[in-house]
């Protein structure tokens, strides 16, 4: 196990970049009473580290959208499977996401929160694959790392619900992505 995965972003690089993002967000949102919304499940590890790098007061909540089956490409359809509890009316919301790929999920979530009366909605994504974008309205103001068009796992990101527990971001071998890995 694990040897089908090559490290792309090490634990140390993740930790350093997450601290920087926390500092930047703290400066930008000081006094703005932001609501940080973690997009489940992929962003949960990033979210927990980011929150602890914040120096301004934040409230947080969770939302879960489903757009993917168990494959590596988007179906195009986005469904809310778990909704936020807090009201977003008049709030400065920051959506915390693991990765922006086609952009469909975040475009949909951002639109939804504006429709519900949020004052502002910004996006903070650990990873961004700009070459994959098919939908606008999902540009992240805060990005940890821009990466090439690779399928990555670890630090919360999964392939068919596996590998989320890895402490680094790694690239899945094409064999495993095709379902020819061990198991
Ligand atoms: P989008 O709606 O196409 O932007 O898809 C975003 C979602 O697809 C992310 O929140 C991830 O759950 C998933 N995703 C996209 N690329 C990857 C990847 O390389 N590894 C793991 N999950 C991914
Ligand atoms: Mg996923």
């Amino acid at each position: 196990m694990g040897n089908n995965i090559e490290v792309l972003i090490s634990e140390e690089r993740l930790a350093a970049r997450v601290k920087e993002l926390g500092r930047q967000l703290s400066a930008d949102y000081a006094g703005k009473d932001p609501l940080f919304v973690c997009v489940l499940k992929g962003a949960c590890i990033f979210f927990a580290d980011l929150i602890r790098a914040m120096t301004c007061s934040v409230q947080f909540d969770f939302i879960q959208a489903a757009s993917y089956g168990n494959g590596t490409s988007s179906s195009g359809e986005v469904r809310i499977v778990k909704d936020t509890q807090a009201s977003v009316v008049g709030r400065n919301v920051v959506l915390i996401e693991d990765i922006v790929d086609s952009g469909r999920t975040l475009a949909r979530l951002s639109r939804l929160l504006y429709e519900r009366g949020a004052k502002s909605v910004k996006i903070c994504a650990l990873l961004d694959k700009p070459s994959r974008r098919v939908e606008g309205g999902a540009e992240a103001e805060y990005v940890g790392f821009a990466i090439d068009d690779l399928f990555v796992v670890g630090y919360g990101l999964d392939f068919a619900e596996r590998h989320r527990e890895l402490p680094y971001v790694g690239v899945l071998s094409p064999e495993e992505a095709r379902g020819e890995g061990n198991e």
Side-chain angles (χ1 to χ4, degrees), residues 5 39-46 64-73 97-99 101 105 126-127 129 147 150-173 176-177:
I5 297 168
V39 183
L40 294 172
K41 300 178 219 176
C44 71
I45 312 267
F46 171 46
Q64 186 172 4
S67 65
Y68 274 28
N70 273 346
T72 57
S73 67
E97 176 62 303
D98 54 357
I99 187 164
D101 187 37
T105 308
L126 177 69
L127 304 170
K129 292 191 213 172
I147 62 169
L150 300 163
F151 198 83
V152 291
V153 294
Y155 198 65
L157 290 109
D158 73 305
F159 172 63
E161 295 302 327
R162 293 177 56 214
H163 309 304
R164 293 192 196 274
E165 72 285 1
L166 296 174
Y168 53 85
V169 171
V171 181
L172 203 62
S173 72
E176 182 153 1

Side-chain angles (χ1 to χ4, degrees), residues 34-63:
L35 178 67
F36 277 32
V37 176
C38 173
V39 183
L40 294 172
K41 300 178 219 176
C44 71
I45 312 267
F46 171 46
F47 186 71
D49 285 344
L50 184 67
I51 287 294
R52 288 176 292 175
M54 298 290 299
T55 55
C56 76
S57 138
V58 297
Q59 289 182 11
F60 61 74
D61 208 332
F62 300 89
I63 198 163

Side-chain angles (χ1 to χ4, degrees), residues 91-156:
R91 301 295 302 267
N92 293 302
V93 179
V94 185
L95 281 168
I96 313 294
E97 176 62 303
D98 54 357
I99 187 164
V100 193
D101 187 37
S102 70
R104 288 188 181 105
T105 308
L106 284 168
R108 166 87 170 79
L109 291 180
S110 172
R111 211 179 312 132
L112 180 74
L113 297 177
Y114 272 121
E115 281 165 14
R116 290 178 176 177
K119 182 174 174 190
S120 69
V121 181
K122 300 243 162 117
I123 293 165
C124 172
L126 177 69
L127 304 170
D128 186 14
K129 292 191 213 172
S131 67
R132 297 262 302 169
R133 204 76 82 255
V134 301
E135 188 151 335
E139 290 326 306
E141 278 79 8
Y142 305 90
V143 173
F145 302 88
I147 62 169
D148 293 334
D149 182 12
L150 300 163
F151 198 83
V152 291
V153 294
Y155 198 65

